[in-house]
Amino acid sequence: MSIDGNHAGPEVTGVTPEGAAWLASAGTYPRSTRVLWDDRPTAPVVLACGSAFDVVNAPALFGRHMLDRLWAEGPGSGPVAAHRGRMLLFAAPGTAQRLPSLLEWEEWGSGGASERGRAIPPLLCHGTGDAVTVPAPTPLAPPMPTAATRLGSRWLVAPDTRAPWLPGPEIMLWAAIRAARSVARRRLSEPSPTVPISIFPPADQDAKVYDVSRRR
């Protein structure tokens, strides 16, 4: 993974024409979706899961940890979007059905009663019969980021080919477990409550830029 050393903020990327064609292929009427984007390139759209992709929908912070693990120690990721405080990690079709079973089998069932289960927050898995709102191909560029724009829809890793590589359920399981362990280690290393802690997040907390050339 390549991380930008400057702290100017995240680089918002747009979808290539090939990536837009792949996204549109998930819809019932791909041509209509393409026409919509030709007329309104900044319009989000609802697309069905299960054919071109599944989506693992995680809380924003935990999803960021999963994404970091995928790029720092794993094979990279497929397309990734942020939407209303959640992280949408695009995965191979079938992942939505298989991932919850793998988590339970490994005793990491998200939101479960065990200590392991509580380490992974509830992950929403969208597959056949589900639909998700995907960000527009062309990102809006407000003069100054605001809380509202940060909670809106934007691509973190935009689709750039007609056949992007998508992680399967085993890789998503690995990323979730690594993320949970990373969060646990971070909590153990946190200063004691007697040490003053700033209530303000670091200015560069979202300054990571993912090098999509590594994505398979």
Side-chain angles (χ1 to χ4, degrees), residues 57-60 81-88 122-124 151:
N57 182 335
H83 180 67
R84 295 185 177 178
R86 306 280 298 185
M87 191 84 76
L88 307 181
L123 303 177
L124 306 179
L151 290 176

Side-chain angles (χ1 to χ4, degrees), residues 62 65-67 69 119 174-184:
F62 190 80
H65 286 303
M66 289 181 64
L67 187 57
R69 293 307 95 210
W174 174 89
I177 292 175
R178 287 299 182 100
R181 290 173 175 168
S182 174
V183 171

